[in-house]
Amino acid sequence: MPDENDEKPEVSARGGRRGWREAAEAALYGPGGFYLRPEGPAGHFRTSVHASPLFARAVARLLERTAQELGTDEVAFVDVGAGRGELVTGVLAAVPAGLRVRAYAVERAARPEGLDARVQWTRQPPRGVRGLLFANEWLDNVPVDVAQVDDTGVVRRVEVREDGAERLGAPVTGADAAWLGRWWPLREPGERAEIGRPRDEAWAAAVRTVSAGLAVAVDYAHRAGARPPYGTLAGFRNGREVAPVPDGTCDITAHVALDACAAAGAAAGTGGPSALSPAGRAGDPGPRAAYGPLGAGCVPGAPGAGLVPQHEALRHLGVSGARPPLALASADPAAYVRALAAAGEAAELTARGGLGDFTWLLQKVPAGGYCPA
């Protein structure tokens, strides 16, 4: 834990102390940063995209539904936080014949060799697209500052050195204090929180690039009323959780307050039912009004936005861990083996306590786009 009596931080000097947002930005995306390494994220941890091609096929079904809702046979797919292009490649392979897809991969790392030539590689989401914007495990790597309550009840910003040593800095004020007050109030000494305001802004900016369609963010998440009392900041390296040290050798991540992101997206002008649900009244804030079939209601303060566990979202998109009937084993043994393998992969994607506990934020963008922010 931070020592609030430690020496004064050297905020700008290399090796000195600075807020976690600045430190993580340098460690993840600066020169030689973790996410710019040749091996990419897949070299260190397993996401739903890497677990099974069933995930990309489910996203392709969602893209197809989005195109149907828009009444078009030409649609955009924007993969935000694309890694090395694994998801966009899988989606292009799975879309049905006759659906024309303009594919974009949004990533700060360099374009990988051998990527499908149809994919446009860009550092920023393209503006004015009609279709599906999909951000899988992106927001958790948007760097944020960390706050902690000191022994006198003052909420202070946590400062960190490159070796991971922490101390408490200045009180949190201004827009960050307002965000904490609304979304993650801290009261008792020792309580910590990740200040999610940069993620809200990043999500709202991404959603504003969609003129019509659906924006989806998938991440480990928490909601108001059930925030973890000591935050979720963590590091990962070579498939294992490690101490979060901002030296470029590990991933630095924290769960996402997706309800706050949903409200930010709604403030940008979204509203309406999603392509995963039957038609509902646009902007209806009532529980289960727009997202009832997925077991989630609209997010308070975010009309037209819904939060749903991954295991429910994927089940609605045709991913099931049910075992194939035994009769298939005798009728077509090869088909039975393939179906059994697919069921195992689906079970991993939807497992409680694992990948199935990811949360999907679905945010509809009405035809006509957004008013300028």
Side-chain angles (χ1 to χ4, degrees), residues 291-311:
Y291 296 88
L294 299 181
C298 290
V299 181
L307 296 175
V308 59
Q310 173 158 298
H311 60 85

Side-chain angles (χ1 to χ4, degrees), residues 227-324:
R227 308 284 189 213
Y230 305 110
T232 62
L233 189 70
F236 286 90
R237 183 192 305 117
N238 297 327
R240 296 182 178 181
E241 184 170 352
V242 297
V245 177
D247 61 359
T249 66
C250 68
D251 183 26
I252 298 173
T253 180
H255 296 190
V256 183
L258 278 179
D259 50 348
C261 294
T270 64
S274 84
L276 282 181
S277 66
R281 289 183 293 150
D284 187 347
R288 301 182 180 273
Y291 296 88
L294 299 181
C298 290
V299 181
L307 296 175
V308 59
Q310 173 158 298
H311 60 85
E312 293 188 22
L314 290 181
R315 177 168 50 83
H316 201 77
L317 289 167
V319 177
S320 171
R323 294 172 63 91

Side-chain angles (χ1 to χ4, degrees), residues 118-267:
R118 293 173 293 176
V119 178
Q120 298 187 48
W121 196 265
T122 176
R123 289 177 61 88
Q124 298 292 333
R127 301 190 65 84
V129 297
R130 290 170 55 85
L132 175 61
L133 180 144
F134 201 92
N136 186 59
E137 295 195 54
W138 169 56
L139 288 172
D140 69 299
N141 289 123
V142 173
V144 292
D145 275 317
V146 177
Q148 181 175 321
V149 184
D150 70 11
D151 291 340
T152 67
V154 176
V155 179
R156 296 183 178 274
R157 201 174 305 273
V158 177
E159 295 171 344
V160 62
R161 287 196 317 227
E162 192 173 283
D163 63 3
E166 293 182 336
R167 61 160 270 172
L168 296 187
V172 178
T173 59
D176 285 344
W179 189 93
L180 287 173
R182 178 180 180 186
W183 294 107
W184 199 337
L186 297 175
R187 298 181 177 88
E188 300 297 325
E191 288 187 344
R192 286 167 66 110
E194 293 91 37
I195 304 172
R197 185 173 61 86
R199 293 170 172 177
D200 295 358
E201 294 171 351
W203 179 244
V207 174
R208 276 196 295 269
T209 65
V210 181
S211 64
L214 185 67
V216 179
V218 181
D219 254 304
Y220 283 123
H222 43 66
R223 301 181 67 168
R227 308 284 189 213
Y230 305 110
T232 62
L233 189 70
F236 286 90
R237 183 192 305 117
N238 297 327
R240 296 182 178 181
E241 184 170 352
V242 297
V245 177
D247 61 359
T249 66
C250 68
D251 183 26
I252 298 173
T253 180
H255 296 190
V256 183
L258 278 179
D259 50 348
C261 294

Side-chain angles (χ1 to χ4, degrees), residues 28-29 33-38 40-41 81-85 105-112 121-123:
L28 297 179
Y29 305 111
F34 180 82
Y35 273 100
L36 305 185
R37 290 179 164 193
R84 298 302 180 265
V106 182
E107 179 56 63
R108 296 170 75 166
R111 181 188 181 100
W121 196 265
T122 176
R123 289 177 61 88

